[in-house]
Amino acid sequence: MMSLAPLGDQVRAYIQPASIEHNLGWLQRHLGQFGTRPAPKIWAVIKADAYGHSTAAVLTGLAQADGIAVLTLEQAYVCRFLGWHKPILVMDALLTANELRDPVLSPLHLTVNNPYQLTELEKGPAPSPPYVWLRYRGSLNHAGFEHTEYGAAHTRLQRLLQAGHLAGLGHLQHYANADDPAQLHLERQLFSQVFAPRVGPRCTENSASLLLDPGFASDTDWVRSGIMLYGISPLSGSNGPSLGLEPAMTLEAPLLAVQHLRAGQAIGYGNSFQAKHAMRVGLIRCGYADGYPRNIAQNCPVLVNNRPSRIVGRVSMDTITVDLNAHPEASAGTMVTLWGTKQLPIELIAQSAATIPAQLCSGLTARVPRVSTGSGRCGDRLEPRRPPHEG
Ligand SMILES: *Cc1c(COP(=O)(O)O)cnc(C)c1O
C-alpha cells in the first residue's frame, strides 16, 4: 500500500540571501578586530555559479562586499547584466586586448597568471584601464609566476601603470594548504619574500586562512572569501553554524510516497538495507542525478519535518529512501531536509560522503531549482541592465 503526493515534488535548493548578508557582516566584523590599518577589503568569491547557490540569488546578499570575484568573463558579464556596479575580479579568463576594451566590464580587476596576458595588456591602453593583480605561483602551482620570473613580470606591469594603462597594480597569491597551520606559515614566508621588495597592495587570504590565523589579514589589502560566505566552514572538524555563520542553502524535498516493509523485506538497489521489523520508509525525489552523493556512509542523517532521521538503502539516480519509524505523522508532502540548516549542516553530509562541502553545493546539477527566499536587505539596489551586445 502506497500513498502518493502530487506529482512534481522534486528536490529544491532554497537560497537565503539574508544569510549571505549575515555571513559577510560576520567576516567584516572579524576583519575589523585586527591591526591598526584599515580592515582589508573583501572580494566575495562567486565562481562556479556561486558555489552552486546561483549568481542571481547571492548577488542581492552581497551588496556590502567591496567587489566580487569570478573565474570567467561570461560570469562577469552575467553580473553586470544583473546590475552589479562595483568592481569585478576575473581570476582566470585569458582576456584578449579587445575584450579588455569593453567598458561594460568596468571597474574590472584581473589576475595576471601568465605571459600571454602580459602581452595582451601591452597591446595599448583600454578606454577604462583594468586594475591588475600579478599572481605568484606559490606551491599550488596552478597559475602565476615563479619567484624567478615574478620580478620581470612586475617590472613590465609597472611600466604600464606609469604610462596610465592600468588603474592599479597589486600582488596576489592563493594558498595550497590554508587549513594547515605549519604549511600556512611556510607559504606566507615564501610569498612575503617575493612581494617585500616591490611596492603595491596585496591580496593573499582566503576563507580558511582568515579563520585559522586572521591576524595576518592586517598585512593584506584585499581578502578573497568564498566558502564561508555561504555559511560553510572550510576547516575540518567545525561547521558554519558552530562558528556563527548561517547556511545559505537548504536542500529539501517533500515525501513523495510512503512504503511499508515487513520484517525481512529489503529496499533499494542491491537490497543493501533489510528491515529487521515492520517499518515505514519514505521516498523522496532526489538522487545522485541531482548531485546528492551516492557514496554516503550508513545512517546518513536527514531531517523529517525538522526532526532527525536517516537514509536507509542506496541512493539511486532519482530516489532516496528515509526511515520513518520515529515519524508516525509523516506522510506524502511532509518536508525532508537533506542539508543546510543549523541542525543539519552540509559539513555532516560531506563527512558522511568523505568529501568537502564545496563539492556538494557546487555539484548540484541543473535539474535542481535554486529558489531564492527573499531578496536580502540590499536587493533593491541591483537593477538589471541591458546585455552588452544588444546595441
Ligand atoms: C576559490 C578561490 C578563492 C576562495 O576560496 P575559499 O576557500 O572559498 O574562500 C580565493 N582565491 C582563488 C584564486 C580561488 O580560486
Side-chain angles (χ1 to χ4, degrees):
M1 184 182 59
M2 191 158 157
S3 42
L4 291 174
L7 289 175
D9 284 325
Q10 94 236 61
V11 65
R12 288 187 166 78
Y14 292 94
I15 310 299
Q16 291 100 29
S19 297
I20 304 258
E21 195 177 339
H22 167 91
N23 298 332
L24 178 63
W26 188 100
L27 177 59
Q28 282 166 333
R29 287 191 299 280
H30 190 66
L31 290 174
Q33 314 169 41
F34 300 97
T36 47
R37 304 200 311 165
K41 294 184 180 177
I42 299 174
W43 290 114
V45 181
I46 59 164
K47 64 193 180 190
D49 205 19
Y51 294 39
H53 292 63
S54 105
T55 302
V58 306
L59 276 187
T60 59
L62 289 175
Q64 299 303 317
D66 300 288
I68 51 172
V70 300
L71 201 62
T72 63
L73 193 59
E74 286 71 18
Q75 203 190 0
Y77 273 117
V78 167
C79 293
R80 289 294 181 228
F81 175 68
L82 289 169
W84 181 265
H85 301 294
K86 288 183 178 180
I88 299 182
L89 170 64
V90 178
M91 298 193 292
D92 206 36
L94 291 174
L95 296 194
T96 63
N98 267 347
E99 287 166 332
L100 281 168
R101 280 165 206 283
D102 191 343
V104 167
L105 291 171
S106 177
L108 175 69
H109 290 230
L110 283 179
T111 62
V112 169
N113 300 330
N114 54 56
Y116 167 85
Q117 289 177 300
L118 281 179
T119 312
E120 288 304 305
L121 285 165
E122 283 167 343
K123 284 185 178 164
S128 36
Y131 195 115
V132 158
W133 295 89
L134 183 60
R135 181 163 169 174
Y136 170 58
R137 205 166 94 173
S139 70
L140 185 61
N141 284 317
H142 282 181
F145 294 80
E146 281 203 85
H147 69 281
T148 49
E149 312 159 324
Y150 194 88
H154 192 254
T155 303
R156 282 169 70 180
L157 290 172
Q158 199 69 53
R159 261 184 234 127
L160 292 180
L161 181 69
Q162 274 149 18
H165 299 185
L166 301 181
L169 173 59
H171 307 280
L172 182 143
Q173 77 87 38
H174 189 43
Y175 293 110
N177 304 284
D179 52 354
D180 174 329
Q183 293 296 324
L184 181 65
H185 180 70
L186 275 179
E187 287 187 64
R188 281 173 171 171
Q189 279 185 323
L190 277 178
F191 72 70
S192 297
Q193 277 168 24
V194 175
F195 296 166
R198 300 177 174 93
V199 293
R202 299 178 182 194
C203 177
T204 60
E205 304 305 292
N206 66 2
S207 298
S209 72
L210 289 171
L211 288 171
L212 202 62
D213 185 9
F216 193 85
S218 59
D219 275 356
T220 201
D221 302 271
W222 282 82
V223 302
R224 304 182 308 278
S225 181
I227 194 74
M228 78 192 262
L229 296 180
Y230 305 102
I232 299 171
S233 171
L235 305 175
S236 61
S238 70
N239 61 58
S242 72
L243 296 170
L245 302 170
E246 292 178 4
M249 172 197 285
T250 311
L251 189 66
E252 285 186 346
L255 283 180
L256 184 74
V258 177
Q259 283 288 17
H260 297 258
L261 300 182
R262 294 187 302 277
Q265 280 188 312
I267 193 162
Y269 290 110
N271 283 173
S272 68
F273 178 83
Q274 220 183 14
K276 290 200 181 74
H277 318 281
M279 73 181 289
R280 294 164 74 239
V281 174
L283 276 71
I284 55 176
R285 190 45 81 234
C286 175
Y288 59 78
D290 299 289
Y292 194 92
R294 181 176 176 277
N295 65 327
I296 46 168
Q298 274 185 22
N299 302 325
C300 182
V302 298
L303 302 176
V304 174
N305 208 2
N306 296 315
R307 290 193 300 112
S309 183
R310 58 176 180 148
I311 292 178
V312 292
R314 253 181 222 167
V315 171
S316 71
M317 187 180 281
D318 306 316
T319 305
I320 289 173
T321 42
V322 302
D323 184 350
L324 295 183
N325 262 6
H327 302 271
E329 80 298 346
S331 59
T334 298
M335 200 51 83
V336 177
T337 308
L338 295 167
W339 71 53
T341 66
K342 284 200 168 77
Q343 226 188 323
L344 185 65
I346 192 171
E347 288 89 340
L348 281 184
I349 312 305
Q351 198 182 10
S352 180
T355 186
I356 56 169
Q359 187 184 20
L360 297 184
C361 56
S362 68
L364 281 186
T365 63
R367 93 176 180 185
V368 182
R370 303 335 192 249
V371 182
S372 176
T373 61
S375 62
R377 200 153 43 79
C378 314
D380 49 356
R381 292 195 209 149
L382 292 169
E383 300 151 20
R385 256 173 27 181
R386 283 150 67 80
H389 303 299
E390 264 188 16

